[in-house]
Amino acid sequence: MNILGIETSCDDTSAAVYNGEALLSNVISTQLIHQKFGGVVPELASRSHIQLVLPVVRQALADAGMAKEALDGIAVTYGPGLAGALLVGLSAAKGLAMTLDVPLVGVNHLEGHLFANKLAHADLTPPFVVLLVSGGHTQLVHVKDWGDYTVMGRTRDDAAGEAFDKVAKLLGLGYPGGPLIEKRARNGNPKSVRFPRAYLDKDKFDFSFSGLKTAVMQHVRKLEADVVQQELDNLCASFQAAVTDVLVYKTIRAAQAVKVDTIAVGGGVAVNGALQAQMRLEAESRKLRCFVPPPAFCTDNGAMIACAGHHYLQAGKISPLSLGPLPSLNL
Ligand code: KG4
Ligand code: ZN
């Protein structure tokens, strides 16, 4: 079954073809226009998706060496995300499904990040605990089966990726903040500043990152501008350590709480090398298996949507053509 996956929930326009056994293509066009604004501008994102979505779909089909008539279904992200951005992907997907007379299936973007692990790791089977950590979300999910989830905890304020983006902005580094902070942090000492770790209730699995962002801001305000510049690497390393300590601690505790022997990570922040290294180390020392998809499957991509869509279409789940965007959709 050849499935086209379309993803337009934020600032990446992506399309991929997956046939249930192999990923045949995965085209991702990241909108660079937002960089100069220091964050995603929703109206500009929608307009860029309009320009990009059909060329990206055409390229995905060309890379797969496939005519559109060979598609058996269209999977598309319908939430959570920016309403206007989601609408563009949905409109393209519905148009294709109608023209080709094939089923449409709406995919939850968060479930897409989860399925990125299924796509990347054939040996990953439920039950496991996944940390979904991106620019818009930070949550711990008990995956009892594909499609059967319990959300164990989520952020009460900022998402971890949002904290990376906001701290990068206040340090004058640019957008998106995650990769820029990680790069500076490689040359810094993570112990140079002891920023607060918000464990909240140590036995619960909710997160909070807004206090950490404020702590970095207050610390920086006390320093002269040239000292901030000299200390940038150390500040980035110290901030990154405060985020990863909490993410790793809660993920391990969550796995122990529901008695699973496997953890997985998904979403844009999962690209972070320090987070991956610490997660693997802590998992290994407790005999837990740890899965992280390769970077192209961590940040937003059509492949994960095609994979999730394939799973549901195979199970007979079809969405109506009246499917609309759900910007605040939960898992
Ligand atoms: O999953 P994603 O592409 O989009 C959302 O669904 O939000 O995640 C984007 C987020 C951004 O906040 C970005 O700063 C963060 O992922 N990110 C990283 C890294 N690469 C991307 N955060 C930390 N370290 C990275 N290397
Ligand atoms: Zn995402």
Side-chain angles (χ1 to χ4, degrees):
M1 199 159 55
N2 297 321
I3 305 302
L4 175 75
I6 299 178
E7 157 62 41
T8 64
S9 67
C10 191
D11 58 344
D12 293 299
T13 316
S14 183
V17 180
Y18 177 67
N19 69 6
E21 281 168 9
L23 181 66
L24 305 182
S25 63
N26 187 28
V27 179
I28 304 167
S29 176
T30 300
Q31 303 172 1
L32 302 178
I33 190 164
H34 306 287
Q35 282 178 354
K36 63 177 173 212
F37 299 102
V40 178
V41 183
E43 178 65 20
L44 293 180
S46 310
R47 286 168 190 243
S48 298
H49 285 307
I50 289 172
Q51 289 170 337
L52 291 166
V53 70
L54 291 181
V56 163
V57 165
R58 268 189 220 110
Q59 191 60 49
L61 287 165
D63 288 0
M66 191 177 281
K68 60 182 181 309
E69 289 72 21
L71 291 171
D72 300 301
I74 314 287
V76 62
T77 306
Y78 72 108
L82 302 168
L86 291 164
L87 206 49
V88 178
L90 271 164
S91 305
K94 287 183 200 175
L96 278 164
M98 269 179 86
T99 319
L100 300 171
D101 196 20
V102 294
L104 173 83
V105 62
V107 173
N108 181 319
H109 180 79
L110 293 169
E111 199 171 6
H113 279 302
L114 166 56
F115 269 75
N117 271 287
K118 187 176 197 283
L119 186 62
H121 308 291
D123 52 336
L124 171 64
T125 46
F128 59 90
V129 161
V130 67
L131 171 69
L132 296 175
V133 70
S134 71
H137 299 272
T138 298
Q139 44 184 256
L140 275 165
V141 182
H142 180 199
V143 180
K144 288 169 267 181
D145 200 350
W146 301 112
D148 183 6
Y149 316 118
T150 302
V151 176
M152 300 178 71
R154 51 166 62 97
T155 184
R156 294 185 188 172
D157 40 58
D158 292 350
E162 193 179 352
F164 269 94
D165 295 337
K166 287 179 175 171
V167 166
K169 193 169 183 177
L170 77 91
L171 293 176
L173 291 177
Y175 176 86
L180 298 166
I181 288 187
E182 179 176 17
K183 195 166 167 218
R184 304 276 333 198
R186 279 192 207 116
N187 303 316
N189 174 6
K191 295 204 168 104
S192 71
V193 188
R194 178 76 193 172
F195 287 124
R197 273 83 170 142
Y199 289 105
L200 304 175
D201 185 334
K202 278 206 157 192
D203 294 322
K204 299 254 167 64
F205 304 105
D206 279 351
F207 300 94
S208 167
F209 292 104
S210 71
L212 170 59
K213 172 195 66 192
T214 308
V216 177
M217 198 191 324
Q218 284 169 344
H219 182 84
V220 167
R221 269 197 198 142
K222 283 190 241 141
L223 303 176
E224 298 291 339
D226 57 335
V227 179
V228 174
Q229 287 312 309
Q230 284 161 25
E231 287 298 308
L232 264 184
D233 293 349
N234 287 336
L235 289 169
C236 287
S238 300
F239 161 76
Q240 183 175 269
V243 176
T244 51
D245 276 359
V246 177
L247 292 176
V248 172
Y249 175 86
K250 296 243 173 204
T251 306
I252 302 282
R253 290 294 292 258
Q256 290 170 331
V258 293
K259 298 187 174 48
V260 296
D261 66 358
T262 305
I263 57 177
V265 191
V269 183
V271 174
N272 189 278
L275 172 63
Q276 289 193 18
Q278 199 173 334
M279 193 72 86
R280 288 188 202 285
L281 199 72
E282 297 288 331
E284 210 170 288
S285 71
R286 290 167 180 84
K287 307 232 173 318
L288 298 170
R289 298 191 311 156
C290 177
F291 293 89
V292 187
F297 294 170
C298 286
T299 46
D300 291 349
N301 65 87
M304 65 187 194
I305 303 304
C307 181
H310 187 278
H311 174 82
Y312 281 114
L313 283 174
Q314 218 173 22
K317 186 190 156 191
I318 295 174
S319 302
L321 286 174
S322 58
L323 182 71
L326 290 178
S328 306
L329 185 65
N330 280 320
L331 200 59

